[in-house]
Amino acid sequence: MTEIDIDWRGPALPQERGELSAAVIGYLGGGASLPSGPTVPPEALNPYGDDLQLALYVCYELHYRGFAGVSPSFEWDPALLSLRSRLESHFLTTLRKDAHRHETVDAALAGLLVEPVEGTSVSHFLQDKGELWQLNEFAAQRSAYHLKEADPQAWVLPRLWGRAKAGMAAVEFDEYGGGRAERAHAQLFADLMKDLGLDTTYGHYVDATAAPMLATVNLMSLFGLHRALRGCLVGHFAAVEVTSSPGSRRLAEALRRTGAGPAAEFFYTEHVEADAVHEQLVRREVIGGLLEEEPHLEADIAFGIDATVHLEDLLSGHLLDAWRDDRTSLYVSGQAEGS
């Protein structure tokens, strides 16, 4: 392998969290062969646990920025794709069992369109009593997605047409800053991280990112990279946009109250306005257009909403359990939960 075959601009490979992730990371690092049957088969692992979710995350990142010192050719490596397929199958089968609650879009969205009188979400907690160290942890964990915000959803564009495609492209155009690099939401999140004194390097906090957050990011890649799951991706995006505006308002208030800084506050105030518009576009044009063309995908859209809510609930539970006990929510090596 020559120097030209190696990508040096990506993040460093993360630290393994078990035998399966160690096998994947070792294979990419050139120091190990990928066994056809890992010592710990994916089917034996907790589908939401650290080992499986990190292994899946590493496989998916080859389709984004890759890793420093790893050849881009691994993106389509047959052995890795075969293993990834097994990981995806285990993860997706479990999600369909645990999260699939609705058959129609209206039913799946109904609960998300009503703000609870007494909220118990992470954004409610941070707004009311969150401390700066907790906001820092929240930003560090969310950076696994927000530093590539809108990229996983962009995979769906070639799989749509007509109103659905036009509506999705309009939302994505806004997410990417409307043609202005400094206004791209990924850049705005990097600016937020600077205000909080965090490292803005892409992938810097992966080793500290808890399994529920990895699972949330992996869901987007899973839905985005499979044409057969295009309806699920649209449902996922709808769930994100419907819940974003009120949650962003609370997070902006939390950052204002703790004196986090203007750029930190701006990221969420920008989302309050933008995502209120995006919600309407996604519901009317993207979902409406897709159902007009492919009505058989309604159950998939509903499942995408349900799966997103399910994983966000798992993440919320993880964060709040840690913070209420006054302990870190970040992953600590050697303390994997449910690998």
Side-chain angles (χ1 to χ4, degrees), residues 36-51:
S36 56
T39 306
V40 180
E43 296 79 4
L45 292 174
N46 176 359
Y48 306 127
D50 284 284
D51 195 18

Side-chain angles (χ1 to χ4, degrees), residues 79-97:
L80 269 180
L81 290 176
S82 176
L83 177 59
R84 194 191 89 188
S85 178
R86 293 175 62 198
L87 302 181
E88 289 175 331
S89 177
H90 188 35
F91 183 35
L92 187 57
T93 298
T94 306
L95 279 172
R96 290 195 184 280
K97 176 172 63 72

